[in-house]
Amino acid sequence: MAGKDRILVLGPTGAIGRHIVWASVKAGNPTYVLVRDTPPTVNKPRLVTAANPETREELLQNFQNSGVFLIQGDMNDHQSLVNAIKQVDVVICSFGRLLIEDQVKIIAAIKEAGNIKRFFPSEFGLDVDRQDAVEPVREVFEEKAKIRRIIEAEGVPYTYLCCHAFTGYFLRNLAQIDTTVPPRDKIFIQGDGNVKGAYVTEADVGTYTVEAVNDPNTLNKAVHIRLPANYLTLNEIVSLWEKKIGKSIEKIYVPEEEVLKDIQELSFPNNYLLALYHSQQIRGDAVYEIDPTKDVEASQAYPHVKYTTVDEYLNQFL
């Protein structure tokens, strides 16, 4: 019996990459990561740091201790990228928003290497072919859609992973700005609070990603993570939180025109976060029907996965 596919994770120390690495290790897939000698210094927004406290150095040491293969290389060094890709079967990219367009370099290296069974480009958000977001996030989604079209035109085998709202960015603060914990007194809710959103922990995104790697049925399809217990409106989540803390919270509903005005006036990262919240809470970008010929619903394909529910996730803040 053949062994499991070898997985290379690009962007392995980022907010989602780290979880894909651990999920791959846990699943028994030989796991490789591409590591640069001199990583850039990036000042991450406070919310990102709160969700991912482990440093890059700590992560890489823990990876190595767990049998992960560290490959020295750089996305901007074509030959080192080709050499790394030739050692594996599947490439998963988890680059952040500033590097989306640079994935053309990965596609070129995959084409030259000629051995890759599947490429997972850096998606890990809403379905970029089913979105109605506003700037500044719309540009990022359009860049991701452009990468999809290049992958398809080049004939690179792919899987797109659409996971929607990370709990570390959307749920730990109940979609509030400038806080890293759920509010206990007052909450601002975009729109009427009755639009369904899809929430998932970053660790579970890693698990479902590796499930998709090991599932031949996801070849050249998009995998959608909309978990039944986590497919909720913000009103439903706030009600759940109120029961946990034993008190009612003052709710301030913000109409769309005011939200759009705030997005235009605020600076990064708050304008970006507000636009993400707007995409899900007002535009309903997590609400759609899937096409079985090109889509896979993760909860139906992998019912054996025990995921963290919104209810369970919120308990850590009590």
Side-chain angles (χ1 to χ4, degrees):
M1 181 178 176
K4 290 189 174 181
D5 285 341
R6 298 163 297 173
I7 297 174
L8 171 65
V9 181
L10 305 177
T13 61
I16 188 63
R18 62 185 66 195
H19 296 289
I20 296 171
V21 172
W22 288 128
S24 178
V25 170
K26 184 177 180 181
N29 289 78
T31 308
Y32 299 69
V33 300
L34 190 70
V35 181
R36 284 184 291 185
D37 291 326
T38 54
T41 300
V42 179
N43 293 319
K44 295 184 177 180
R46 198 158 55 96
L47 188 62
V48 178
T49 304
N52 304 284
E54 202 172 14
T55 68
R56 177 182 184 274
E57 290 70 26
E58 290 169 339
L59 270 173
L60 292 178
Q61 187 58 59
N62 289 337
F63 288 164
Q64 207 161 15
N65 293 344
S66 300
V68 174
F69 300 97
L70 274 57
I71 304 175
Q72 294 294 326
D74 192 297
M75 180 184 62
N76 295 312
D77 180 344
H78 177 73
Q79 196 55 52
S80 74
L81 196 53
V82 171
N83 292 342
I85 288 171
K86 283 183 175 179
Q87 299 179 53
V88 300
D89 305 295
V90 175
V91 176
I92 302 176
C93 182
S94 60
F95 288 163
R97 62 186 179 84
L98 298 178
L99 296 174
I100 296 303
E101 291 183 311
D102 283 348
Q103 290 179 106
V104 294
K105 300 172 184 176
I106 301 169
I107 296 168
I110 286 173
K111 290 282 287 183
E112 180 172 331
N115 62 298
I116 291 303
K117 297 179 181 179
R118 201 98 61 89
F119 176 43
F120 286 64
S122 187
E123 296 252 343
F124 305 106
L126 52 69
D127 185 339
V128 296
D129 286 334
R130 292 182 172 105
Q131 58 89 16
D132 189 28
V134 300
E135 297 295 0
V137 299
R138 186 178 186 86
E139 179 183 8
V140 177
F141 298 152
E142 289 177 346
E143 289 173 357
K144 290 183 177 183
K146 187 189 303 182
I147 291 297
R148 284 189 177 191
R149 304 293 83 84
I150 295 172
I151 289 169
E152 293 157 7
E154 292 291 338
V156 172
Y158 65 84
T159 299
Y160 305 138
L161 207 294
C162 309
C163 61
H164 298 281
F166 295 158
T167 52
Y169 298 73
F170 286 75
L171 197 59
R172 69 177 295 120
N173 59 355
L174 299 191
Q176 303 302 287
I177 297 298
D178 287 330
T179 181
T180 59
V181 295
R184 290 174 175 258
D185 300 307
K186 178 171 65 176
I187 184 168
F188 292 90
I189 298 174
Q190 292 191 15
D192 62 10
N194 290 324
V195 178
K196 291 280 189 183
Y199 300 85
V200 62
T201 66
E202 290 86 339
D204 286 336
V205 172
T207 298
Y208 282 111
T209 300
V210 177
E211 287 283 345
V213 168
N214 293 324
D215 179 4
N217 188 47
T218 63
L219 175 64
N220 295 337
K221 292 182 180 178
V223 176
H224 304 263
I225 305 179
R226 297 182 298 177
L227 309 171
N230 294 359
Y231 194 45
L232 303 168
T233 69
L234 194 53
N235 280 337
E236 290 172 328
I237 293 171
V238 172
S239 177
L240 183 62
W241 178 238
E242 287 176 325
K243 290 176 184 176
K244 289 183 180 294
I245 63 175
K247 61 178 286 193
S248 294
I249 300 174
E250 179 188 357
K251 301 167 192 69
I252 300 172
Y253 292 91
V254 186
E256 183 174 21
E257 57 268 23
E258 190 173 331
V259 173
L260 293 173
K261 183 172 179 288
D262 288 340
I263 291 171
Q264 290 178 342
E265 293 179 352
L266 291 172
S267 58
F268 185 84
N270 288 348
N271 61 340
Y272 195 86
L273 289 170
L274 269 187
L276 285 174
Y277 301 156
H278 170 267
S279 164
Q280 177 161 271
Q281 294 172 26
I282 292 182
R283 294 292 170 87
D285 283 340
V287 181
Y288 52 84
E289 296 294 324
I290 68 166
D291 178 351
T293 64
K294 61 180 182 180
D295 298 310
V296 173
E297 193 80 67
S299 62
Q300 296 174 10
Y302 317 116
H304 57 277
V305 174
K306 187 184 184 307
Y307 61 88
T308 300
T309 66
V310 167
D311 189 357
E312 293 165 341
Y313 180 83
L314 290 174
N315 287 335
Q316 68 183 291
F317 301 107
L318 297 175

